[in-house]
Amino acid sequence: MSILQPLRLHPLLMSSLAVALALGGAAQAADSPEVAAARAAIARMGVRAQRVDLSIRPAAHPTYRVRIRHGAIAASGSSPIALVHGVAQALEAKGKLHLSWEGRRAAPLSRADNFDSGEVSSPFDLRAYLNTCTYGYTTPWWNWARWSSEIDWMAAHGVDTPLAMEGQEYVWRALWREEGMDEAAIGQSLSAAPFLPWQRMGNIAGYRAPLSPGWIEKKHQLQIRILARMRSLGMKPVLPAFAGYVPEGFAKAHPKARIYTMRSWEGFPPTYWLDPSDPLFARLAKRFIEIYNATYGAGDYYLADAFNEMVPPIAEDGSDAANAQYGDAIANTAAANTQAEKVAALPPAVRDARLAAYGEKLYHSITAAAPNATWVMQGWLFGADKAFWTPDAVRAFLSKVPDEKMLVLDIGNDRYPGIWQQTQAFYGKQWVYGYVHNYGGSNPAYGDLGFYKTDMAAALNHPGKGHMAGFGLFPEGLHSNSIVYAYAHDLAWGPKRDLGEWLKTYTAARYGSTSPALVSAWQGAISGAYQTRYWTPRWWNQMAGAYLFFKRPSLSGADYPAAPGDPAALRRGIEAMLAAAPAHPSALFAKDIVDLTRHYASMRLDDRLKAALAAYKAGDVAGGDKARAQISDLARKIDTLAANQQETLASWVKDARAYGDTPQEKADYATQAKAIVTIWGGTGHLSDYASRAWSGLYADYYLPRWQMMLEDARAAALAHRPLDEAAAIARIRAWEEQWVANGKDYAHAAPTDPVRAAAQMLKELP
């Protein structure tokens, strides 16, 4: 009789035993907590090997070495992250493992598999990840399973300094309770879940309030697990701090405090900012971190962004705060820059003294509760609002913060390059070099792989780089253009291979096989779509939206410029991928073909839309009708094709509903989820900022809006009169509001053969 029979092990214990045996159970018994965490992450990735031996060895910089001998893995590294990243890289090099947002692929090692990575080191001590806005555009409805998967993705890609913004409303609520605010006032002061990042940064307050107590508690419990997992892997998550914004009720209850009414951001009501020189500031800031640390544990890095798209008050009484404008939010219009220049034109001594005091007191407000902490801020504002943030203004703001106790996340080098050079590497502060890449989760196929390689190398080798502490990717939204993130994260560990060699490894791991024809096809697609560092059409005529078809309709669309990239080269690349498809029957291959084809078709859809608008404006009703019919047909076909992808309108709304515990919560979350990806809010320029190329949105949202505009344009052409465009847009806006609130559920059936569907679509397009 087997000795195991009478033990009757619990199923969960049996599962753990199986994992231990698969990964080398003998070694696991002696694992340190750090090694055990790395081993568990490797197991969750689906790694199957004869044995996995792991060890941590201290080093001055992040480093690892991985050997595979006869299907057994031996890895050493400077941290759990180095171990996980090293093993993932080694298995990717063997074509045995690939992790992406679209899915993962894992294959077992055989006794024939051998490999030696050699000693690999990252030139960056930190590898940062995420954007404050990611927590609105992507994660509002994430549960622990989804977060667990993302943390493993981070580890596999070598990330060790992620922004960890979940769960903070639990702390805000506790703080305002201590300050005497009642539950109703607190609830009304907190914006709905997808809009909280802008609440936290002081841009808005109480939008679509109240925030559900159930959501607050779920995120509280979730953050406990998130931070435990991150910390077990040796990550140093960036935690939130108090930046000075207070609820309206608190402001009115303290009329003698130096609380300034800030500007109206994107047409929302103004918010309230407490001057750091007021004694209330230090007390609130210290107490926020005390409550946070008691709830979630102390950290090394605390983020405080006091002036995200908000020009600092400089006048002694703060009277300039409400009138100051911000540049990038309305595409750097002359009016915005003029306003910022007026604020910046105050006597330099006054401006610099105020800015220096702000910086100093913000820093001390963090260290009062966390003496050894580093203040982290996103450096986006320095590039996006150059009219105010001149080099002298930046110098003043940073001047009284110890160099080693500040970390500037220079996130916008693909949008606003060279800010670090203009500011002498932020005047001695530690800083992280990186790119936003994605804005709002909007997902055209773009990026610039060649730029990342040459730009990163140039920054690393620049004699004026100062205290460059790391590299980071800071997307506002996830789940698109995985190749961009895979390549850039690999560059952060200094690979010397050219793109062709990297593609050979990438495709073999992602699809299970590769070929010279497939690598060549991908190179063609890259030349067509992935030599664009910033997707300029997302701002056009002060209208947001990834494509013309995604923008709120306007007759001016007839003059819409050509999209970036090389559509002809992209088409040739897709055709070559389609030719290679029979040799690579992979679900991930199908997703890539669909996404590239969807992108190409969307640009062709814009061409038809421009043709229809131009025809009706010229009185050519027959020409407009022909183009209009083509628009409807192609939009619906793209909608069907895109149902193959990871995310759809249906999945987004379903996840939002699932996060609710009551019928009211479910309905509210669904409405909020639809709003953030469409109308957003306010009376400014945010509509369609987060425009998503999703099944459901093409046919159910973008197309009906344009049908209304084109119908009105047709009627005007038939009547030989100008179109009353203001009335047409008003009708569309009313329809948008009804659509967001209609309570509809969605279901999108993916094509049974997505590759064939993509091929057919391409065949029908010029």
Side-chain angles (χ1 to χ4, degrees):
M1 180 180 292
S2 167
I3 193 171
L4 290 179
Q5 279 186 318
L7 295 179
R8 298 186 181 277
L9 295 178
H10 189 280
L12 288 177
L13 187 57
M14 287 291 287
S15 176
S16 299
L17 180 61
V19 169
L21 292 172
L23 292 176
Q28 193 176 31
D31 281 349
S32 66
E34 294 84 0
V35 169
R39 187 182 301 281
I42 292 168
R44 288 190 298 270
M45 293 174 192
V47 173
R48 287 173 285 171
Q50 298 293 323
R51 182 182 179 91
V52 179
D53 292 324
L54 305 174
S55 62
I56 291 180
R57 50 182 170 82
H61 300 287
T63 186
Y64 68 82
R65 183 172 185 177
V66 180
R67 300 178 181 88
I68 300 175
R69 291 289 181 270
H70 306 302
I73 300 172
S76 62
S78 56
S79 68
I81 290 297
L83 283 175
V84 176
H85 176 66
V87 169
Q89 287 286 289
L91 293 173
E92 180 141 336
K94 297 299 295 180
K96 302 294 184 179
L97 179 68
H98 180 82
L99 274 71
S100 74
W101 294 312
E102 299 82 19
R104 65 179 57 189
R105 182 188 157 270
L109 287 168
S110 71
R111 291 191 60 81
D113 285 316
N114 296 284
F115 177 81
D116 189 341
S117 70
E119 198 71 22
V120 179
S121 296
S122 173
F124 301 105
D125 288 340
L126 306 176
R127 272 102 32 227
Y129 179 57
L130 297 176
N131 187 300
T132 52
C133 300
T134 321
Y135 289 85
Y137 288 128
T138 300
T139 72
W141 324 118
W142 280 16
N143 56 22
W144 170 240
R146 181 63 190 85
W147 263 113
S148 176
S149 175
E150 190 69 16
I151 296 169
D152 287 343
W153 183 98
M154 295 180 202
H157 288 80
V159 170
D160 63 0
T161 318
L163 272 64
M165 298 289 111
E166 298 278 38
Q168 60 180 285
E169 275 58 49
Y170 184 87
V171 179
W172 287 116
R173 185 177 63 181
L175 177 65
W176 301 131
R177 282 172 174 171
E178 288 186 357
E179 292 299 317
M181 292 183 64
D182 61 41
E183 297 302 306
I186 294 172
Q188 288 299 320
S189 75
L190 294 173
S191 298
F195 304 95
L196 283 171
W198 299 272
Q199 169 97 31
R200 297 162 181 168
M201 293 184 290
N203 306 116
I204 63 175
Y207 179 54
R208 292 184 178 268
L211 179 64
S212 165
W215 191 92
I216 293 175
E217 183 56 35
K218 284 184 178 180
K219 291 296 186 178
H220 165 223
Q221 296 299 329
L222 186 59
Q223 181 74 339
I224 291 172
R225 301 181 75 175
I226 289 169
L227 292 177
R229 174 67 58 77
M230 287 179 172
R231 288 163 172 160
S232 75
L233 288 166
M235 294 181 181
K236 292 189 175 182
V238 178
L239 309 177
F242 180 81
Y245 292 93
V246 299
E248 182 179 16
F250 181 90
K252 290 182 175 179
H254 296 81
K256 295 183 179 180
R258 298 186 67 175
I259 298 175
Y260 308 136
T261 302
M262 300 296 277
R263 81 177 189 92
S264 172
W265 181 83
E266 291 294 352
F268 284 96
T271 54
Y272 299 87
W273 188 65
L274 175 61
D275 190 321
S277 67
D278 191 289
L280 273 175
F281 188 101
R283 177 167 67 79
L284 291 174
K286 180 181 180 182
R287 188 62 188 136
F288 177 87
I289 293 179
E290 287 174 343
I291 298 171
Y292 191 96
N293 291 352
T295 305
Y296 299 117
D300 297 285
Y301 297 106
Y302 289 85
L303 179 80
D305 285 324
F307 306 120
N308 177 68
E309 305 190 0
M310 306 291 277
V311 175
I314 299 301
E316 185 65 24
D317 61 357
S319 58
D320 53 343
N323 297 319
Q325 296 296 314
Y326 174 79
D328 187 77
I330 51 175
N332 286 313
T333 63
N337 285 326
T338 298
Q339 288 285 353
E341 287 163 2
K342 287 180 179 178
V343 177
L346 288 167
V350 173
R351 180 200 66 187
D352 292 353
R354 293 278 283 177
L355 290 176
Y358 287 157
E360 180 182 33
K361 292 181 184 301
L362 280 164
Y363 164 69
H364 284 302
S365 74
I366 292 171
T367 57
N372 297 318
T374 295
W375 172 25
V376 181
M377 68 169 289
Q378 297 181 109
W380 169 259
L381 70 171
F382 298 144
D385 197 12
K386 296 186 185 76
F388 179 86
W389 289 106
T390 63
D392 285 345
V394 175
R395 185 199 297 269
F397 185 55
L398 306 181
S399 62
K400 294 189 177 181
V401 183
D403 290 349
E404 71 280 4
K405 288 298 182 180
M406 186 167 199
L407 183 68
V408 178
L409 304 180
D410 188 25
I411 70 178
N413 285 282
D414 47 350
R415 176 74 168 109
Y416 300 114
I419 299 302
W420 64 272
Q421 292 166 294
Q422 296 164 24
T423 60
Q424 300 175 36
F426 302 103
Y427 303 107
K429 301 297 180 284
Q430 298 180 92
W431 64 287
V432 170
Y433 178 86
Y435 314 112
V436 173
H437 176 260
N438 179 282
Y439 293 84
S442 187
N443 52 333
Y446 85 102
D448 194 339
L449 305 190
F451 166 74
Y452 303 142
K453 183 172 184 177
T454 58
D455 191 55
M456 203 180 298
L460 276 168
N461 295 322
H462 197 285
K465 68 180 181 181
H467 294 154
M468 181 193 285
F471 169 77
L473 289 174
F474 305 96
E476 290 185 347
L478 309 181
H479 304 152
S480 70
N481 295 299
S482 278
I483 192 170
V484 167
Y485 297 85
Y487 188 61
H489 280 300
D490 278 5
L491 288 174
W493 288 82
K496 304 301 182 184
R497 295 171 296 167
D498 66 20
L499 181 57
E501 283 298 308
W502 182 86
L503 280 170
K504 183 178 178 180
T505 298
Y506 176 80
T507 52
R510 186 167 172 86
Y511 308 138
S513 63
T514 192
S515 65
L518 179 56
V519 171
S520 178
W522 251 116
Q523 286 176 314
I526 287 168
S527 70
Y530 290 104
Q531 293 183 348
T532 302
R533 69 189 65 172
Y534 175 75
W535 189 253
T536 53
R538 62 179 296 273
W539 282 125
W540 179 73
N541 280 5
Q542 301 185 33
M543 294 187 294
Y547 307 99
L548 176 61
F549 188 66
F550 290 6
K551 296 181 187 293
R552 181 172 280 151
S554 167
L555 282 184
S556 63
D559 302 318
Y560 189 65
D566 185 341
L570 174 59
R571 183 187 178 100
R572 291 192 296 272
I574 298 170
E575 289 171 341
M577 290 179 73
L578 287 167
H584 304 284
S586 158
L588 289 175
F589 190 40
K591 287 185 183 297
D592 290 342
I593 287 179
V594 165
D595 205 46
L596 292 170
T597 305
R598 185 271 316 154
H599 174 61
Y600 177 81
S602 297
M603 291 189 289
R604 298 286 73 85
L605 181 58
D606 278 358
D607 292 340
R608 294 178 178 183
L609 189 52
K610 288 159 63 176
L613 289 168
Y616 286 137
K617 284 178 70 175
D620 179 5
V621 175
D625 288 351
K626 179 180 177 181
R628 185 177 166 200
Q630 292 174 336
I631 291 164
S632 180
D633 177 65
L634 182 54
R636 295 183 191 282
K637 286 179 177 177
I638 297 174
D639 196 86
T640 299
L641 181 66
N644 179 75
Q645 302 306 83
Q646 175 194 4
E647 284 187 304
T648 65
L649 177 61
S651 69
W652 179 247
V653 173
K654 180 181 178 182
D655 288 348
R657 287 191 187 280
Y659 223 77
D661 293 324
T662 67
Q664 187 61 55
E665 275 190 341
K666 291 177 182 293
D668 288 345
Y669 293 168
T671 298
Q672 296 159 14
K674 292 170 74 175
I676 190 69
V677 299
T678 55
I679 61 173
W680 217 110
T683 58
H685 305 77
L686 292 174
S687 175
D688 303 301
Y689 179 93
S691 54
R692 309 286 171 91
W694 281 351
S695 179
L697 286 179
Y698 276 92
D700 202 65
Y701 186 73
Y702 304 133
L703 180 58
R705 293 195 307 178
W706 276 108
Q707 286 175 326
M708 284 188 278
M709 175 60 73
L710 293 173
E711 179 61 36
D712 287 349
R714 182 180 191 275
L718 283 170
H720 303 288
R721 57 171 172 78
L723 171 66
D724 185 348
E725 188 168 4
I729 292 174
R731 185 162 71 98
I732 289 169
R733 289 190 178 207
W735 178 89
E736 290 171 347
E737 294 286 347
Q738 293 168 2
W739 182 89
V740 166
N742 66 17
K744 183 178 176 180
D745 279 322
Y746 300 87
H748 311 305
T752 55
D753 187 342
V755 173
R756 183 177 179 182
Q760 181 61 35
M761 177 173 288
L762 202 65
K763 183 179 178 181
E764 296 173 1
L765 292 172

